[in-house]
Structure formats: C-alpha cells, structure tokens
Amino acid sequence: MQAIEKFAPGVILHGGDYNPDQWLDRPDILHEDIRFMKEAHINEATLGVFAWSMEEPEEGRYDLDWLEEVVNRLYEHGIRTILATPTGAMPHWLTEKYPEVLKVDEHGTRRMHGQRHNFCPTSPVLRKKMQGINEALSERLGKHPGVIAWHLSNEYGGDADAETFIGCHCPACEDAFRTFLKDRYGTLEDLNRAWWTGFWSNRFTSWDQIHCPGAGSEHTMHGIKLDYRRFVSAQMLDFAKAERDAVRRYSDRPVCTNMMGTFDPLDYFKWARELDFVSVDCYPMWHSQEDDTGIAQGASLYYALTRSLKRMPFLLMESVVSSVNWTPINIIKRPGMHMLSSMQAVASGADSVQYFQFRASRGSSEKFHGAVIGHLNGNDTRVFREVKALGERLEKLSGLVLGTVNRPQAAILYDWENIWAVNDAQALVMPFDFNRRFLDYYGALWDRGIDTDLIDMDSDLAPYRLVLAPFNYMYRKGWTEKVRRFVERGGVFVTTCWSGIVDDSDLCFEKEHPLQDLLGIRPEEVDVSPGYMENTISWGEDSFPVRDLCGVIHTVGADVLAVYGKNYYKGMPALTVHAYGRGKALYAAAEGKQDFVGRLVDEALCEAGLRCPIEVELVHGVTVSCREGDGRRLFFVQNFNNRPTEVVFRKPCRNAESGEKVEGPVLLDPYECRILEERMA
Ligand code: GAL
C-alpha cells in the first residue's frame, strides 16, 4: 500500500496489538514474545493502544524509555511498529483532576471514571493533555526506523454504554453543536424551516434553546437528530484531526485509525479524507450459524467498504485468531477458518492481517479473548500453528499481492446520512434495519463473484458500469444530477421503493419523484406485506415471495418486467426498466427476498455487461475476488463451506502459488482459498 510502502517495503504485514506494557516486570515473557513472533512470521506489532498511564504516569511526566526499548528490540528482530496514541483509555490522574474530560450521557449525567472510549471530544483540557502525550511520542519515536505508521486512539466512538447517540452532552459540546448549526444554516429562520419546527410547537427563537437530542430530551424531531448525528461524527473527527496534527508535529509517518466497518455513528467516508490510509477491525461471528455464507458476505462487506473509502488497499488492523469473549456464545474458529478468513481480507484489498491480540493478558476483562499466545502451552497450540502457517503463506505472497488492487466496476450505495435518515423514519417497518436489507443486495453480488465498491453520494460514479442504490430514501444535493449523468453515459442504475423520499434536511419531496424522468415511474404508496398476507412477484414463469415492502407505482415510460401476484394492486408493476440516454434504470417497487434480489442482480449485471472476472461456475458458499496490477490478475477463490466443494473452471488458469494448471472440475477443500493467476495482455 502506497502510504506505508515507503516505511515497510515489500511485506504484507502480519502482527497486531501487543501489550508489553502489561509485562514490564517479566523480561522472560518479553524475550519469549520475540522468539514466538519470529517463529510465527509476525513482522509487525501495534504498540501503546491503551498505554497512557504507563507513558505518562503523572501529569506532564512522560516515561517513554520502556517503549523505546521495546521498539528497538522489535526492530532489531525485523519487526516493525505501528504506534498508537493512547487516548482510547484515560489515566486516573486525568479524570481525577479534570472531571470535565469525562463525557456526559443523554440524561445529563457525567460519567465516572472507568472503561474506555468515554471522553468528551470537545473538552479543551483533554485536547491539551492529548497534545502533550502525542507530541512527546512523536518527538521521541516519530522518526524511529522501526516505526512505520500512526494508529490514532482506538475505535473512536466505541462507547459500549451509549444509549442512542455516542455524542457527549456537556455544555461545551452543546455550544459546539450550536456553532456547527450556525455554520450550516446561518440563520435561525433557515434552521426552523429545515427542521419543520412548526410541528409540535418547536419553533426556536434563540440558539440557546437548542440542546443535544437524546433519550432524556428531544428524540422525535428528525431534523435535529440528523444534524446531531452529523455533528457527532464531525466533532469526533475534529478530535481525531487534532490527534493527527499532534503526531505529525515531529513525524512524517502515515496516519490511520482503526475503523469499525459499518459502525453507525461515524461517517467514515468523511473520516477517510483526513487520514493517510484506512484500516479496519473485523470480528465476524464464524460458525454462529450452520452455514457460514451469510457471515462471509457480512465480513466481505466490511472489507469492501473499507477499501472503497479511499479506493485503495487497507490494513486489517484487528481480527481474532480463535474466539472473541464479548458475544453470548463465543465459538472458536474451526481448523482452517483462520487461514480462509484472513485470506478473505487480503482478497478484498487488505495488505495486512493483524490481530487483537498477540499475548493474552492474565487479568481483567479480555483475559479470555483469543490471542496468538494464550495462558498455557506457549507455542505448542493449534492456534499458534495456524497463525504460523498463515504467516508463512503471507510472506510468500507478498511479492505477488503487494501493488495489486481490486478494481470493481459495480458499486452499491452505502451513504451514512441516508442510513441515519431511513432508519429514523417513522413509517412502514420499524426498526427499518437498513443493513440487513442491504446485505441481501451485497450478498447477491458476492454469490456471483462480483467485487463491488461501496460508495456514498459524494463518490465519483465514473469508474462503474453498474450502480445499485437500494432504499435510497434521502437524495442529497447533487445526487440526482450525478445519477442522470451516469445513466446518460451508458451506466445501469438500480433502485428500489422507499427511495427519493426526502432531501438532505429530511424534508419530503413534493409533487413528483425527483428521478421520475429517469426511472419512468410514478410511485403512489408503499404497502407492508406481513407473513399472513404475503404478496408475490410474478416475473415471467417465476413467482417470488415479497419480504416486507410493496411499492404501488404507475409507469410513465418504463417497461414492466414483473408484476404483483396478489392484493388490490395485483397485476401492477413490481419491477420496471427504463431506457435513459445510453443506459438503463431499473426500479424494484417490490422488496423481494434473496432469490428475487439474486434474479434482479443477474438482470442488472446482464444489462451492464458485467460478470465474474474468471470463467467459473460458482456454487453456494464459494466466491471469487480479484486483485490486479503489475501485469497480472489474481483470483482468490474462497470456499466457505465446511465440506469439499466442487467448482468448474471453464478456462484454463494457473495456480499462482504452485504453478499448477487448473481447469475443469476442481474439488476445493473445506475452507480452502485457492489463488489463481492470469497474465494480462
Ligand atoms: C476491539 C478493540 C480491542 C479489543 C477487541 C476485542 O473492538 O479495539 O481493543 O477490545 O475489540 O475483540
């Protein structure tokens, strides 16, 4: 990956969170760790994630000798460091002396010391203290040859106790929220209009009347909630930028933070612009269902989203080698799944496989969380052997994979503001659960071996031939023009009912659907079809059950591909297609279940002239991702079935690792990832 390549040339990183700070009185352990790391082909350690109290034991007294010693020792053994800033957890001296650094919850109560991710991002004292420690780290280690990148804080916003919003409700945050609103609206009059405050006597006559919404206060006015979500993401980002600027004071190393995929409160598209590269933490619940396919699709979605944020490779900053310890049932990965799940990340654009955690702590809440080295048996464990096997493979793959990228020609809209608004709408099905519905679409593309980017409404559509926008409830400024241009130039656009309903203030559009001309339809109402009056969609000879939503529409130029099978709108259009410019727009008025979505995706792919980049007959549980560059294409064929599974390759290919020819029917082992190669002309 470009940003990091300069400081860690030629290696896929393999490593993760390492906490020598918990073992400073155990030189034997620190010594043994290096030996085990080398044996497991671990070449990276992420240091200092929650080490503030060790790095600054008392206010203003920095103790970084131990850290420098560890960085030195790792470096001598060829292990690079990604250095974290420690703000994920605050030291006692800080909260004791300056309680205002602790966040205030939605009921107006200030938190007490404890846990992590519970700081107020606005607090001037916290920012000053953060700047102190970050600059000290930067000055001491920011140019150390072993330090390759910065990792800001940890999972910003990951506050386990937050009720509705992760935001802080202290007076400083309320003031910052008002400033944010003044910048956005200029006048109270415009704000009142945007928030439709004539409803329920909400008209504001002074900025001071505006408070952060929350469980204990306003939580029915959509406009304020939407803006508050925007503010919470922006304010946390503002804190992250201050952290970034502090580490940049003495250091030229690239900066990232560990994101959490589809984490609802933070609009990562906006965050990515402020970072040198992106990274993600991903903990799929493997084996929590009999069939791992849905889980694999969900993990793939996380990686695709992370890759799409900057349209470049990323780091898998955290994953687990066996099981986590924070779900009701914590199942360990079955043998082979560690290799496959790690290769899945690489296949999707990761240039690293990193873990939480290298060595398990002996005490406290994560002592039973999976680790490369557990409490017993050192390196003589199944987990260690699987980590080592992966390390060996990654080392060999580095030359092949680094420098290649995924270049999808299909994209699917994942826009945070749209999701906030649609999930908040009081209508139809509640909770709406955008992500669950979205996974049907993403999963259908995954099943067909189509790498797909996730985009927001600010993204450039030029690289794509197909854009899907399911449940695109909000149309932000500029979106309709962008979609029109895309289709005019030959793109295929697919959207669904419950799209084009509100503008970016969450105010309903009037008169007609904003893309009526492009879609060739006129929506009238949306029905919900619960199980006892389930509707069907008739498409040619086939009939598909409806999931929930049935949009009742009329055509104004579009052709009808499918119709409803029942109810007062029986025979009316359930799916339409409309030619526009050189392209086409499909509108799924009915929300079908997975098999319908699959057929719709087939139709759209066919219209867009897209197919799996390798000629293979895929079967359930098997997918392909493609990375290309350097004159070659790499196909990662992944079998998520726990049984041998046959796939048929219709064109001869070469196994990129063994050099063997692959053609015709091939039996993939359970959880196998086979990497095939094709030279590009
Ligand atoms: C992550 C977090 C790590 C660790 C891990 C456990 O969300 O960043 O610090 O707590 O979860 O799975």
Side-chain angles (χ1 to χ4, degrees):
M1 189 213 309
Q2 264 174 345
I4 234 174
E5 174 77 352
K6 191 166 142 203
F7 304 103
V11 285
I12 297 181
L13 295 177
H14 183 216
D17 284 22
Y18 176 45
N19 293 105
D21 37 312
Q22 294 173 20
W23 303 88
L24 291 180
D25 58 347
R26 292 290 305 276
D28 59 319
I29 291 283
L30 298 182
H31 185 75
E32 189 181 69
D33 284 344
I34 301 240
R35 186 161 63 79
F36 288 158
M37 283 182 192
K38 295 211 62 157
E39 194 187 333
H41 299 257
I42 281 178
N43 56 31
E44 181 274 344
T46 308
L47 295 180
V49 178
F50 298 110
W52 200 339
S53 70
M54 298 298 285
E55 294 170 352
E56 188 180 359
E58 289 164 29
E59 185 175 3
R61 182 168 74 76
Y62 302 114
D63 178 1
L64 303 178
D65 292 347
W66 65 270
L67 185 59
E68 187 169 7
E69 232 171 84
V70 177
V71 174
N72 282 338
R73 209 170 325 122
L74 289 167
Y75 182 60
E76 281 158 23
H77 288 88
I79 300 159
R80 290 133 180 110
T81 294
I82 292 184
L83 193 55
T85 66
T87 53
M90 296 185 285
H92 283 280
W93 60 256
L94 177 61
T95 56
E96 183 183 36
K97 183 159 172 200
Y98 308 103
E100 68 267 38
V101 298
L102 285 160
K103 87 187 237 185
V104 170
D105 73 16
E106 293 175 44
H107 300 276
T109 310
R110 193 169 296 279
R111 292 273 181 81
M112 300 210 289
H113 185 100
Q115 301 198 50
R116 54 183 183 173
H117 304 142
N118 51 3
F119 60 77
C120 163
T122 308
S123 158
V125 180
L126 180 73
R127 287 186 178 219
K128 194 155 161 250
K129 298 295 148 196
M130 169 278 285
Q131 195 182 346
I133 181 64
N134 285 11
E135 288 186 0
L137 285 166
S138 171
E139 188 170 16
R140 183 72 170 264
L141 290 161
K143 287 204 166 136
H144 190 291
V147 173
I148 59 170
W150 290 100
H151 170 305
L152 299 180
S153 199
N154 187 69
E155 295 189 341
Y156 284 109
D159 174 3
D161 287 344
E163 247 175 289
T164 325
F165 302 106
I166 60 159
C168 168
H169 289 61
C170 77
C173 284
E174 296 224 305
D175 274 347
F177 181 41
R178 291 178 195 124
T179 305
F180 172 88
L181 295 171
K182 284 178 191 162
D183 286 349
R184 188 174 172 85
Y185 294 105
T187 65
L188 265 186
E189 199 188 324
D190 281 354
L191 176 142
N192 276 312
R193 201 172 303 119
W195 288 0
W196 205 256
T197 54
F199 182 80
W200 284 359
S201 206
N202 268 316
R203 190 166 303 280
F204 293 100
T205 52
S206 124
W207 293 98
D208 294 339
Q209 293 162 356
I210 300 173
H211 298 281
C212 301
S217 57
E218 175 57 59
H219 57 266
T220 52
M221 201 199 298
H222 291 155
I224 190 172
K225 285 200 283 180
L226 180 62
D227 276 333
Y228 186 60
R229 286 196 164 90
R230 290 179 173 128
F231 164 75
V232 167
S233 177
Q235 190 66 0
M236 193 60 95
L237 176 57
D238 192 62
F239 182 81
K241 278 158 63 182
E243 287 223 51
R244 175 201 65 191
D245 295 346
V247 296
R248 278 190 185 158
R249 170 112 196 243
Y250 302 99
S251 175
D252 57 351
R253 302 304 192 257
V255 179
C256 79
T257 187
N258 52 340
M259 297 174 164
M260 293 176 275
T262 58
F263 183 59
D264 183 71
L266 302 183
D267 182 345
Y268 285 142
F269 280 102
K270 299 206 170 59
W271 277 64
R273 290 184 207 140
E274 304 297 337
L275 300 163
D276 296 316
F277 67 98
V278 288
S279 76
V280 70
D281 297 351
C282 190
Y283 293 96
M285 297 296 115
W286 299 114
H287 322 306
S288 58
Q289 295 162 13
E290 222 178 312
D291 178 0
D292 276 309
T293 304
I295 297 157
Q297 293 169 344
S300 165
L301 189 159
Y302 256 50
Y303 299 137
L305 172 57
T306 309
R307 177 191 70 226
S308 307
L309 295 175
K310 273 191 171 296
R311 298 195 72 235
M312 68 180 212
F314 59 92
L315 298 190
L316 170 58
M317 191 59 85
E318 287 182 25
S319 60
V320 67
V321 294
S322 53
S323 77
V324 297
N325 72 331
W326 41 260
T327 68
I329 298 176
N330 298 291
I331 305 169
I332 53 181
K333 284 176 173 173
R334 312 331 279 170
M337 181 49 99
H338 183 56
M339 176 67 82
L340 174 62
S341 60
S342 304
M343 293 313 297
Q344 179 190 29
V346 175
S348 313
D351 279 354
S352 79
V353 175
Q354 294 158 269
Y355 313 122
F356 178 85
Q357 50 189 342
F358 177 73
R359 181 182 280 277
S361 52
R362 282 189 67 200
S364 215
S365 70
E366 287 182 332
K367 60 180 178 290
F368 297 124
H369 190 287
V372 178
I373 302 294
H375 305 126
L376 301 176
N377 306 320
N379 59 352
D380 189 11
T381 63
R382 177 186 70 86
V383 162
F384 186 86
R385 283 185 282 278
E386 294 203 24
V387 169
K388 180 176 168 182
L390 175 70
E392 280 166 354
R393 190 172 186 192
L394 292 176
E395 214 164 83
K396 291 193 191 128
L397 280 175
S398 291
L400 263 184
V401 166
L402 291 175
T404 63
V405 295
N406 306 68
R407 282 215 189 98
Q409 292 183 296
I412 181 164
L413 186 73
Y414 193 88
D415 184 289
W416 259 267
E417 298 192 25
N418 176 59
I419 298 166
W420 292 333
V422 76
N423 281 341
D424 206 26
Q426 284 175 251
L428 305 176
V429 180
M430 294 183 284
F432 185 72
D433 199 350
F434 175 89
N435 282 353
R436 182 183 64 78
R437 292 163 203 275
F438 182 85
L439 189 57
D440 281 351
Y441 283 82
Y442 184 80
L445 291 152
W446 184 95
D447 286 342
R448 286 153 182 78
I450 305 291
D451 273 332
T452 305
D453 276 350
L454 274 66
I455 55 170
D456 75 349
M457 285 183 241
D458 295 325
S459 302
D460 179 12
L461 304 186
Y464 309 111
R465 283 154 75 177
L466 171 64
V467 171
L468 296 108
F471 313 108
N472 186 184
Y473 171 79
M474 171 183 281
Y475 281 5
R476 285 166 49 205
K477 271 190 201 74
W479 178 235
T480 52
E481 293 76 11
K482 199 180 264 191
V483 172
R484 276 198 193 91
R485 253 191 330 271
F486 170 72
V487 182
E488 260 161 22
R489 292 181 186 161
V492 174
F493 181 69
V494 180
T495 195
T496 67
C497 72
W498 211 224
S499 290
I501 309 290
V502 299
D503 66 12
D504 44 15
S505 292
D506 213 348
L507 292 176
C508 295
F509 289 115
E510 295 176 275
K511 297 200 175 85
E512 69 178 41
H513 188 288
L515 281 177
Q516 178 164 312
D517 56 329
L518 174 119
L519 299 168
I521 55 109
R522 185 168 62 77
E524 190 177 329
E525 52 189 346
V526 185
D527 192 19
V528 178
S529 166
Y532 67 90
M533 53 186 224
E534 188 181 82
N535 209 329
T536 56
I537 307 163
S538 308
W539 189 349
E541 301 295 296
D542 299 322
S543 173
F544 299 94
V546 160
R547 187 193 279 290
D548 281 326
L549 310 184
C550 299
V552 180
I553 63 165
H554 309 273
T555 55
V556 284
D559 294 328
V560 177
L561 294 179
V563 295
Y564 286 106
K566 294 188 193 160
N567 222 319
Y568 69 92
Y569 38 90
K570 179 176 176 186
M572 287 179 75
L575 173 67
T576 61
V577 60
H578 187 226
Y580 184 87
R582 305 210 320 263
K584 292 219 168 126
L586 285 98
Y587 185 88
E591 182 194 19
K593 295 187 181 168
Q594 272 161 324
D595 47 358
F596 170 78
V597 174
R599 169 104 184 255
L600 171 59
V601 163
D602 281 335
E603 182 81 17
L605 289 171
C606 178
E607 290 285 3
L610 286 180
R611 49 191 181 137
C612 176
I614 180 169
E615 297 224 7
V616 62
E617 284 162 33
L618 290 175
V619 294
H620 179 83
V622 181
T623 193
V624 184
S625 294
C626 175
R627 289 182 69 152
E628 60 184 68
D630 215 8
R632 69 165 76 88
R633 264 205 200 111
L634 297 172
F635 304 105
F636 296 75
V637 185
Q638 306 146 58
N639 176 22
F640 286 90
N641 296 312
N642 60 5
R643 54 181 185 279
T645 305
E646 187 180 280
V647 289
V648 181
F649 292 94
R650 285 193 239 104
K651 251 177 75 183
C653 245
R654 206 175 143 269
N655 184 319
E657 290 168 292
S658 69
E660 277 165 37
K661 196 172 145 202
V662 181
E663 193 179 2
V666 167
L667 202 59
L668 297 171
D669 286 336
Y671 304 143
E672 179 176 352
C673 173
R674 196 170 294 193
I675 308 176
L676 306 176
E677 182 181 23
E678 181 186 88
R679 291 265 149 207
M680 277 153 64

